[in-house]
Amino acid sequence: MQLCRMSDTETIRRIIELAELFAVDAISEFDASLASWKFDMARNTEFEVIGALLARQTTLAVRIARTPQVWNDHVAPILLRSMADVHITICWALESPEERCPKFVEYGIGQLKLNIEHVKNVGDAGVEPGAISCELPALEDWLEGQKARYFIDVNVGSMSGDGGIHKMAKDCGCKEFYDLHYSPLSGCAHSMWQCIGRLNLTPCTNPLHGWHSVPFVPESYPDLHFLHAAARYFDMTLRRFRQKIGSELLATTAAEKLKKAMQDALSDVE
Amino acid sequence: MPKKPVLWDHKPSGKLLRTPLNAAFPSAEDVSWILRGIPEFIWLGLLYRDYGFRRTVQIAARVSRAVSTAGDDADSEVAVGASKFDALSDSQFEAMTKRLICDSTLDSVIRALRPMLVIYSGCPFSRLLPCADQTPEDHDFERMAETIAEMTDQRSKLAMCCQAAVVGVAFDSGRIKTVGRLKLSRWTEIEGYPDADGSVEVGAMVRAGVIMLMGCGLVSTPQSEWPFRFWNRGHELSSCSFAE
């Protein structure tokens, strides 16, 4: 349902308020989930990798909830695809954290090392190096803090080995999720034809013009479907995490509260 | 001159581009100063803060010698990392303690190590303090926190003196040898680090030497759980803090 099509400004105000409540609840749920995981320095890399991925998932869900302007076909799928990626990665890491979390770290620092080398190699080539160049000193410092550069190998293949994220999804029981969520969202994230053909072309109705389509920049309006999707992905990830660490599942999660509250708020409108 | 491609000197191994060092030494493993070095040598840091460099080296050497003569099956490695003391049997530890009493070293050790003994019950030296129920006081926590904080920088004066003591004890044991012209043999110059001429270069060799000695298991036990017990105890004692 699109917010703009509601004539009741009070309902719109209420929905935005509920989205903010979800954001607050999501952060609390993240904090509580992490607190239920007993810390052990011997497994610090696992704590940091999985914890940071959970924080990432929460951050994306919160930012989406707090920004109704992105609840549309053009922007939300890009962010949701990122959330889908995080979900698959966390599920994959949780299957064998001792082996996979260090691999995740090694891959990441190798990629950053490669990025930095590319920027430094630009020199007089006349090519704009991009945003990373502004942060170069800070990024180099961070990288050196992770590992001395002369010990950082660079993996130019996929992090998990052959098959990439598709294989990762199969390994951790997320194949259906990959097929139904990640893959379709990838079309928007990569601005492929199945996405831009629908969203950035409009058919010309002039019979004299041969029924072509014209590129355009559409207006967009917040659609609640995308808020619900973000909440749902967040919920799926936190549930899987709590299940894997043997922590109690919550009686009512942040996503469930949002869904119920939205149904109540919209029942009069519908 | 044509520009070299990015990572031109890396050796491909399938999809992995290995650094020249990693390609030359494929089985080398990381040794973390923070994760393992601090828990192993924090006791030297506490000795240093109370007694200074020379007395620390003297005490550490006496302790290590006391272990090496502590029974027929005493560890043949160099007992200077804390995890080496973890591995001692009760009879070996008792023999070591008796030897330290004989050469009037034990009281100095207990006095300096008190913060560690009362805060980290179950630490490798806990058998030195029979009254394990002593309650840590505020100054014990402060002492430990300050010492750990200063040791975090492997190049700090405190950390360098601890590492130099490790090298000194290893030489004293006869388990490592070098020739006079090599910088590692000048480890005593760390007393004047970093201001004394040449001490910074000696320091670099000392740091590298200690990491190597740790990696080969000579001065500490690579698979010991003591470092994790040490850091986990820190998590029990206080909550996380963050920069503003």
Side-chain angles (χ1 to χ4, degrees):
Chain A
M1 165 167 291
Q2 293 189 331
L3 288 188
C4 68
R5 305 207 193 284
M6 296 177 206
S7 53
D8 181 356
T9 52
E10 176 55 28
T11 305
I12 294 173
R13 188 200 62 78
R14 178 80 183 122
I15 284 168
I16 293 178
E17 198 178 79
L18 290 175
E20 173 58 28
L21 278 174
F22 163 75
V24 170
D25 286 344
I27 294 171
S28 297
E29 191 173 320
F30 159 75
D31 286 339
S33 298
L34 217 55
S36 68
W37 197 16
K38 188 171 183 332
F39 179 79
D40 181 355
M41 195 66 176
R43 300 170 54 207
N44 188 45
T45 301
E46 297 167 37
F47 274 81
E48 289 188 353
V49 167
I50 292 171
L53 283 167
L54 285 174
R56 176 71 171 164
Q57 194 71 313
T58 310
T59 303
L60 289 170
V62 164
R63 292 269 67 87
I64 291 172
R66 286 177 168 161
T67 319
Q69 292 86 349
V70 307
W71 303 351
N72 56 67
D73 273 329
H74 307 280
V75 181
I78 298 171
L79 300 172
L80 290 171
R81 197 262 199 170
S82 205
M83 289 189 76
D85 203 325
V86 172
H87 178 70
I88 293 172
T89 305
I90 288 184
C91 293
W92 173 81
L94 282 169
E95 289 300 308
S96 180
E98 200 176 322
E99 178 221 336
R100 291 176 175 175
C101 291
K103 208 185 250 192
F104 183 85
V105 170
E106 290 294 321
Y107 186 81
I109 60 177
Q111 290 299 298
L112 181 59
K113 173 175 163 174
L114 183 61
N115 296 155
I116 289 171
E117 291 299 319
H118 276 304
V119 171
K120 287 172 145 181
N121 207 41
V122 164
D124 300 325
V127 176
E128 278 293 321
I132 189 177
S133 62
C134 304
E135 306 172 344
L136 204 58
L139 287 172
E140 287 186 290
D141 278 346
W142 183 85
L143 191 64
E144 285 291 328
Q146 294 287 300
K147 200 172 194 177
R149 212 179 302 194
Y150 40 81
F151 288 127
I152 301 176
D153 293 333
V154 177
N155 185 349
V156 295
S158 83
M159 174 184 59
S160 59
D162 295 333
I165 193 147
H166 180 247
K167 184 161 183 306
M168 285 165 68
K170 278 179 79 171
D171 278 352
C172 61
C174 289
K175 173 131 185 348
E176 197 175 85
F177 178 81
Y178 177 93
D179 289 338
L180 297 178
H181 295 270
Y182 182 90
S183 196
L185 290 169
S186 290
C188 289
H190 292 298
S191 299
M192 297 176 80
W193 181 248
Q194 68 268 33
C195 169
I196 63 172
R198 291 182 300 113
L199 301 178
N200 290 104
L201 282 179
T202 189
C204 171
T205 55
N206 187 335
L208 302 179
H209 285 194
W211 313 113
H212 71 132
S213 292
V214 179
F216 83 120
V217 179
E219 284 296 331
S220 55
Y221 305 96
D223 190 323
L224 293 178
H225 156 73
F226 297 107
L227 170 63
H228 281 298
R232 190 175 158 206
Y233 290 177
F234 169 79
D235 193 64
M236 286 169 65
T237 304
L238 272 282
R239 279 178 190 274
R240 176 72 81 106
F241 169 72
R242 291 180 85 99
Q243 203 172 46
K244 274 293 178 183
I245 67 164
S247 174
E248 242 176 65
L249 296 179
L250 299 179
T252 315
T253 63
E256 284 167 341
K257 279 162 65 173
L258 173 71
K259 187 176 175 184
K260 172 81 175 52
M262 284 288 186
Q263 280 169 348
D264 293 343
L266 293 173
S267 58
D268 289 337
V269 175
E270 284 167 358
Chain B
M1 184 188 275
K3 205 182 277 188
K4 289 178 178 166
V6 163
L7 303 182
W8 62 272
D9 57 348
H10 285 42
K11 311 269 182 282
S13 172
K15 292 282 191 180
L16 193 65
L17 302 178
R18 306 222 69 187
T19 69
L21 263 180
N22 285 348
F25 303 103
S27 58
E29 288 180 10
D30 292 343
V31 175
S32 168
W33 169 253
I34 289 178
L35 186 63
R36 291 200 169 267
I38 292 176
E40 292 285 359
F41 307 124
I42 185 76
W43 73 287
L44 298 173
L46 292 168
L47 286 175
Y48 175 84
R49 293 194 71 162
D50 275 2
Y51 306 125
F53 180 65
R54 292 189 189 200
R55 182 91 175 109
T56 294
V57 175
Q58 183 187 52
I59 292 173
R62 284 184 182 173
V63 170
S64 184
R65 278 183 230 135
V67 169
S68 67
T69 57
D72 294 335
D73 57 348
D75 196 332
S76 60
E77 272 86 31
V78 180
V80 66
S83 56
K84 290 293 187 187
F85 297 89
D86 231 7
L88 296 178
S89 66
D90 285 344
S91 59
Q92 287 170 333
F93 203 95
E94 200 181 320
M96 175 197 78
T97 308
K98 283 186 177 147
R99 176 72 189 262
L100 292 178
I101 292 172
C102 286
D103 59 17
S104 309
T105 306
L106 184 66
D107 283 348
S108 301
V109 172
I110 292 177
R111 197 162 40 245
L113 263 53
R114 187 206 132 80
M116 187 172 171
L117 296 172
V118 297
I119 295 172
Y120 297 82
S121 59
C123 80
F125 299 100
S126 58
R127 287 174 279 186
L128 287 175
L129 200 68
C131 311
D133 294 330
Q134 286 198 28
T135 310
E137 294 165 22
D138 283 349
H139 62 82
D140 293 317
F141 290 110
E142 280 163 19
R143 190 67 153 181
M144 280 306 296
E146 283 164 5
T147 309
I148 293 169
E150 204 177 331
M151 280 186 76
T152 298
D153 180 356
Q154 200 183 354
R155 290 181 165 90
S156 70
K157 176 73 183 244
L158 174 61
M160 284 309 314
C161 288
C162 293
Q163 291 170 92
V166 171
V167 170
V169 171
F171 276 128
D172 180 71
S173 72
R175 289 303 306 276
I176 68 168
K177 300 182 195 307
T178 185
V179 293
R181 65 178 176 275
L182 292 183
K183 288 192 173 66
L184 197 62
S185 64
R186 292 159 52 191
W187 62 272
T188 52
E189 294 177 23
I190 297 301
E191 190 175 14
Y193 176 92
D195 301 318
D197 278 347
S199 63
V200 170
E201 289 80 9
V202 172
M205 285 307 301
V206 165
R207 284 194 298 278
V210 167
I211 293 295
M212 185 201 68
L213 291 172
M214 287 176 68
C216 70
L218 189 66
V219 298
S220 62
T221 309
Q223 303 311 317
S224 167
E225 289 189 357
W226 159 241
F228 303 125
R229 290 184 351 239
F230 177 82
W231 293 118
N232 284 343
R233 177 68 179 140
H235 280 259
E236 285 169 19
L237 290 169
S238 54
S239 46
C240 297
S241 60
F242 306 99
E244 284 175 24

